[in-house]
Amino acid sequence: MARTHLGRRAGLVAGASLVIDYVLNVAVSVAAGVAALTSAFPGLLPYTVWPCLMVLALVTVVNLRGIAHSARAFIVPTAIYVGAILLVIVAGLVRGEPAVPVGQQVTNLQTVGVLLLLKAFANGCASLTGVEAIASAVPSFRKPRVRRAQRAEVARSAPCWRSC
């Protein structure tokens, strides 16, 4: 699309940026997932690279089977993730006292500012990746494809509105 409307160079830049986006998205997702796993099971910490490689191999094999198959394979982990986030929110609302004593809270505002900036960047990257993923999967939707894709996009973007 970029090559057609903006020329060859812009098309190459758009293609290269998509490839970089895909690689970084997978790298960050796998690293974050394995970091969460090693924080839950500290005994795995010295072996961090191997779980990363195993997850990467699993994601590669599932994605090689096609968009529809990968969507079916990843729906359960996605539902578990959303359920876990909702559970954390409910636990936070129900809890009467703070999880960390007030004296141990972060006092360095500069560190918090950097973390907030990184969080905003991560939210923006996740939002753009989701938009592109739904746009690429339109042929996999049942008819009427465009209408269903539009509904999926609205449903997917609702959590982003709250976090952005």
Side-chain angles (χ1 to χ4, degrees):
M1 184 65 80
R3 186 183 73 192
T4 303
H5 296 290
L6 300 175
R8 183 173 185 262
R9 187 174 300 244
L12 289 173
V13 169
S17 65
L18 274 176
V19 169
I20 291 169
D21 176 53
Y22 289 150
V23 170
L24 289 177
N25 185 25
V26 171
V28 169
S29 299
V30 169
V34 171
L37 185 67
T38 57
S39 71
F41 303 103
L44 293 175
L45 195 56
Y47 311 104
T48 303
V49 174
W50 290 109
C52 283
L53 292 175
M54 287 188 291
V55 169
L56 185 60
L58 176 70
V59 168
T60 302
V61 168
V62 170
N63 279 320
L64 286 174
R65 300 206 46 178
I67 292 174
H69 183 76
S70 64
R72 275 179 270 161
F74 292 131
I75 192 71
V76 172
T78 303
I80 291 171
Y81 174 76
V82 170
I85 294 293
L86 292 175
L87 182 66
V88 167
I89 291 171
V90 169
L93 292 173
V94 171
R95 172 175 262 168
E97 70 279 346
V100 177
V102 177
Q104 294 181 0
Q105 291 179 349
V106 177
T107 58
N108 190 349
L109 234 47
Q110 185 177 8
T111 303
V112 173
V114 169
L115 292 176
L116 287 174
L117 183 65
L118 291 173
K119 172 76 170 139
F121 179 75
N123 283 346
C125 291
S127 298
L128 291 175
T129 302
V131 168
E132 194 274 330
I134 291 176
S136 297
V138 171
S140 299
F141 283 93
R142 285 181 281 143
K143 292 184 181 181
R145 292 179 190 349
V146 173
R147 191 76 187 133
R148 289 182 189 272
Q150 288 171 340
R151 288 183 184 150
E153 188 63 52
V154 168
R156 190 214 58 80
S157 63
C160 177
W161 295 337
R162 288 188 292 267
S163 66
C164 291

